[in-house]
């Protein structure tokens, strides 16, 4: 499980994302996420009443007429779109989170040609939500108001007008016009967007001008739960006001997002989130592009968010010294086996070879043990496995030998690195390939190495992967590709994998771009 006090993208990426699979057309959520019992009726009694009201009409005909009439009466009307304007204007919008007291609100400026999916991303960043649940845009505020469906809804079998190509200026045009936006159908967060001013010149990028109060924490139980939390925090965590759902003050404070206070709002932080949300993803190869498209159809955003980070657009070249440092473990392995080396009867590297590899790569300096048996020295075994997966060594007839590709580039770190990049990601199964792409995307964003696993897990969870044991828990981050990235980052040297490793980020970006 991700440490919820880790960096913000990692912590929020996986927070209770199971709610994506819950249809909002189901039973009515309560304030604590349960369901309120429906009011049943006795069907036979209803039929008797109808037959009494329409004597002589056959029951089947009555039922057919009744069903047809109710179907027409309860059919939701399609949204009505305005013509696309001749020129693009901007809109200054006030966004209010309805039913919050005092009101949580923001004032933003956006371009009229913003599509609803991009407006959704802007609103998530503007308010401070984490895009962990379903959403919906409506053009009215009554129960049967016209609304748009998302690609996720479409895959679930719902019918209606898809939001993808609809622009904001097809829905609002003048001061006072409104649009409604719902998020998380369990907690029931409802927003109203009201046009305060039409701008002759649209802003180049969406921006927040001002606002009041912090966004409620995700999954806090809706307006009622948020009100309890806000009162408790404003009281300086008075135990008497702690929401009953928590066992203790410590439990409640651990659950709350770090540094959350209901009265805190920072416009600069908000605009940083907006900039990240609307940033175009870095260019990627065909396979990853297909994966990104599939993720967006699911309503999953973390993969796109990471590819949109400035570092993901960074350079892909490394200098000769960096290439030598990155490839050192693989070059040591190739040098030790030379033109080929015999393996033990069990298929392991010989003890003398294991010792030399461990000494020259630095494993001996930190490994507890003699480091003379491959089966008892996992760092050496992992290095050999990674080299084999990369097509650098082959095993035949009890011998390990360099491949032709390795023989061609073993003495040239840049050529060796080029070969490694060309083989990534490793694996043939969808699980290995997607975990490999996740590792490359995360490394290519120059994320702190300590957060690699957390972010990879978030990406995979967002893509629908789960732990194979219970089909619900977070998937593991492990993959052959991650093993290679860690070798390049210096894991053989016993280095604590922390901080930003820019050369590794560069080669990960090279692999991502194909």
């Amino acid at each position: 499980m991700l440490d919820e006090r880790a960096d913000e993208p990692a912590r929020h990426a996986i927070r209770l994302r199971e709610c994506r699979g819950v249809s909002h057309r189901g039973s009515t959520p309560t304030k604590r996420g349960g369901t309120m019992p429906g009011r049943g009726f006795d069907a036979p009694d209803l039929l008797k009443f109808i037959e009494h009201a329409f004597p002589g009409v056959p029951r089947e005909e009555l039922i057919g007429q009744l069903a047809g009439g109710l179907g027409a009466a309860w059919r939701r009307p399609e949204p009505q779109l305005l013509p696309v304007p001749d020129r693009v204007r901007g809109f200054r919008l006030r966004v209010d989170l309805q039913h919050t007291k005092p009101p949580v609100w923001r004032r933003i400026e956006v371009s009229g040609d913003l599509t609803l999916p991009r407006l959704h991303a802007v609103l998530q960043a503007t308010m401070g939500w984490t895009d962990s649940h379903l959403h919906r845009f409506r053009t009215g505020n009554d129960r049967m108001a016209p609304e748009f469906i998302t690609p996720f809804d479409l895959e679930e079998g719902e019918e209606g007008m898809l939001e993808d190509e609809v622009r904001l200026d097809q829905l609002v045009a003048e001061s006072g016009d409104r649009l409604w936006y719902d998020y998380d159908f369990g907690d029931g967060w409802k927003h109203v967007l009201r046009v305060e001013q039409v701008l002759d010149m649209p802003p180049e990028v969406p921006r927040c001008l001002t606002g009041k109060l912090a966004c409620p924490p995700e999954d806090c139980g809706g307006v009622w739960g948020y009100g309890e939390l806000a009162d408790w925090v404003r009281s300086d965590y008075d135990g008497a006001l702690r929401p009953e759902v928590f066992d203790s003050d410590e439990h409640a404070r651990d659950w709350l997002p770090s540094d959350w206070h209901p009265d805190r709002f920072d416009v600069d932080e908000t605009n940083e989130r907006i900039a990240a949300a609307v940033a175009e993803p870095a260019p990627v190869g065909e396979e990853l592009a297909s994966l990104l498209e599939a993720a967006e159809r699911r309503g999953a955003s973390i993969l796109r968010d990471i590819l949109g980070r400035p570092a993901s657009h960074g350079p892909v070249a490394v200098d000769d010294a960096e290439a030598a440092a990155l490839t050192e473990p693989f070059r040591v392995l190739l040098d030790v086996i030379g033109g080929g080396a015999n393996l033990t009867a069990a298929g392991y590297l010989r003890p003398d070879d294991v010792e030399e590899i461990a000494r020259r790569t630095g494993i001996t300096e930190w490994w507890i043990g003699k480091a003379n048996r491959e089966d008892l020295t996992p760092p050496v075994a992992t290095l050999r496995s990674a080299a084999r997966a990369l097509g650098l060594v082959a095993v035949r007839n009890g011998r390990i030998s360099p491949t032709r590709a390795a023989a061609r580039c073993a003495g040239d770190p840049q050529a060796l690195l080029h070969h490694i990049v060309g083989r990534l990601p490793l694996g043939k199964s969808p699980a290995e390939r997607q975990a490999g792409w996740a590792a490359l995307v995360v490394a290519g964003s120059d994320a702190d190495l300590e957060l690699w696993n957390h972010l990879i897990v978030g990406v995979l969870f967002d893509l629908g992967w789960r732990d194979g044991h219970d089909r619900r828990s977070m998937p593991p981050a492990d993959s052959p590709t991650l093993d290679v990235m860690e070798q390049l980052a210096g894991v053989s040297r016993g280095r604590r994998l922390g901080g930003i490793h820019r050369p590794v980020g560069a080669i990960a970006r090279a692999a991502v771009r194909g």
Side-chain angles (χ1 to χ4, degrees):
M1 174 66 75
L2 212 73
D3 180 357
E4 295 209 358
R5 289 166 290 184
D7 100 315
E8 199 75 1
R11 175 168 59 81
H12 286 315
I14 64 171
R15 198 164 187 169
L16 295 177
R17 300 187 79 88
E18 290 87 345
C19 289
R20 285 194 180 279
V22 179
S23 172
H24 68 286
R25 299 301 189 194
S27 51
T28 306
T30 66
K31 294 173 182 176
R32 282 301 179 196
T35 56
M36 297 194 304
R39 294 179 178 175
F41 61 88
D42 191 330
D45 289 345
L46 178 59
L47 283 173
K48 288 179 182 179
F49 173 79
I50 295 172
E51 288 173 339
H52 179 75
F54 299 94
V57 181
R59 175 179 291 190
E60 293 76 9
E61 183 178 340
L62 280 173
I63 293 174
Q65 291 179 358
L66 181 63
L70 285 176
W74 286 94
R75 188 174 297 118
R76 189 182 299 276
E78 287 279 307
Q80 299 298 307
L81 304 183
L82 300 170
V84 175
D86 294 334
R87 64 184 183 88
V88 178
R89 297 180 297 174
F91 295 99
R92 181 172 296 165
L93 305 173
R94 171 157 168 151
V95 183
D96 280 271
L97 183 56
Q98 294 184 284
H99 311 304
T100 52
K101 296 180 181 180
V104 178
W105 64 273
R106 308 284 186 262
R107 179 172 288 117
I108 61 174
E109 290 184 348
V110 297
S111 178
D113 61 356
L114 207 64
T115 62
L116 291 186
R118 302 313 299 145
L119 179 59
H120 158 68
V122 170
L123 291 173
Q124 287 284 310
T126 297
M127 296 303 299
W129 299 120
T130 64
D131 201 10
S132 301
H133 302 282
L134 300 173
H135 74 277
R136 181 147 298 187
F137 285 98
R138 297 180 283 117
T139 59
N141 200 32
D142 59 88
R143 183 175 180 80
M144 295 302 294
E147 61 185 21
F148 300 91
I149 66 170
T150 67
F152 180 88
D153 299 323
L154 198 62
E155 290 185 1
E156 291 293 299
E158 295 198 39
E159 298 179 353
M161 186 179 293
L162 194 62
E163 69 175 20
D164 282 22
E165 303 300 325
V166 178
R167 296 167 34 146
L168 175 61
D169 55 15
Q170 291 180 281
L171 302 174
V172 297
E174 301 176 353
S175 296
D177 285 353
R178 292 180 295 174
L179 179 66
W180 284 261
Y181 171 74
D182 300 336
Y183 172 63
D184 184 355
F185 306 123
D187 277 3
W189 301 112
K190 300 182 182 298
H191 309 70
V192 59
L193 287 61
R194 182 171 59 85
V195 177
E196 290 188 326
Q197 185 178 343
V198 179
L199 309 173
D200 287 334
M201 292 296 295
E204 292 185 6
V205 294
R207 59 176 176 252
C208 181
L209 304 180
T210 187
K212 290 290 185 182
L213 304 184
C215 182
E218 293 274 5
D219 306 299
C220 68
V223 171
W224 182 73
Y226 158 68
E228 281 191 334
L229 283 171
D231 290 344
W232 178 58
V233 175
R234 287 187 177 114
S235 73
D236 197 23
Y237 308 100
D238 184 346
L241 295 178
R242 186 187 72 238
E244 293 181 1
V245 70
F246 297 109
D247 298 329
S248 63
D249 285 1
E250 182 181 6
H251 177 205
R253 298 188 75 158
D254 284 345
W255 183 88
L256 276 176
S258 59
D259 302 326
W260 184 82
H261 192 284
D263 299 326
R264 183 177 182 272
F265 169 74
D266 189 304
V267 70
D268 293 331
E269 288 182 7
T270 301
N271 279 312
E272 287 177 7
R273 288 197 304 268
I274 293 174
V278 300
E280 286 300 313
V284 298
E286 184 177 348
E287 184 181 350
L288 183 53
S290 297
L291 188 59
L292 178 60
E293 182 181 349
E296 292 184 326
R297 283 199 305 270
R298 287 175 48 85
S301 62
I302 186 172
L303 183 59
R304 189 187 195 283
D305 291 345
I306 295 176
L307 285 168
R309 292 181 177 183
S312 296
H313 295 261
V316 298
V318 297
D319 62 31
D320 291 346
E322 290 169 335
L326 290 169
T327 60
E328 180 186 22
F330 297 106
R331 289 186 293 109
V332 167
L333 173 64
L334 292 170
D335 189 49
V336 169
I337 68 172
N342 291 327
L343 299 172
T344 66
Y348 295 113
L349 292 165
R350 294 179 305 179
D352 288 349
D353 291 339
V354 174
E355 282 188 293
E356 186 173 357
I357 291 169
R359 178 180 58 80
R360 291 176 58 181
T361 58
I363 293 171
T364 303
E365 298 174 10
W366 58 274
W367 184 251
I368 300 175
K370 293 183 178 181
N372 64 350
R373 286 180 53 181
E374 187 181 1
D375 58 329
L376 298 179
T377 315
V380 174
T382 301
L383 175 60
R384 199 240 290 209
S385 177
R388 189 173 185 180
L390 289 168
L392 296 174
V393 297
V395 175
R396 296 185 186 90
N397 302 320
R399 286 177 60 82
I400 182 170
S401 305
T403 62
R404 291 181 181 179
R408 285 195 300 268
C409 60
D412 184 345
Q414 287 283 12
L416 180 57
L417 195 57
H418 181 75
H419 171 84
I420 291 172
V421 169
R423 300 280 295 209
L424 298 176
L426 298 172
K428 295 182 180 179
S429 71
E432 286 183 329
R433 299 289 295 180
Q434 293 190 26
W437 283 122
L440 292 169
V441 167
V442 168
S445 71
D446 282 351
D448 190 305
L449 272 68
E450 288 184 336
L451 297 174
W452 276 12
N453 281 18
H454 299 328
L455 289 168
I456 292 168
V457 166
V459 172
L460 293 175
F461 192 91
D462 218 30
L463 293 175
W465 291 98
R466 301 293 183 269
D467 183 271
H469 296 293
D470 61 16
R471 307 292 181 184
R472 293 189 304 273
S473 301
M474 301 298 168
D478 302 334
S479 70
T481 302
L482 181 59
D483 289 341
V484 171
M485 302 305 292
E486 290 180 341
Q487 290 291 338
L488 297 172
V491 69
S492 294
R493 291 287 180 187
R495 295 167 183 157
R496 180 172 174 268
L497 292 183
I500 297 173
H501 200 303
R502 300 195 187 281
V504 171
I507 64 161
R509 289 189 289 271
V512 162
R513 295 177 194 178

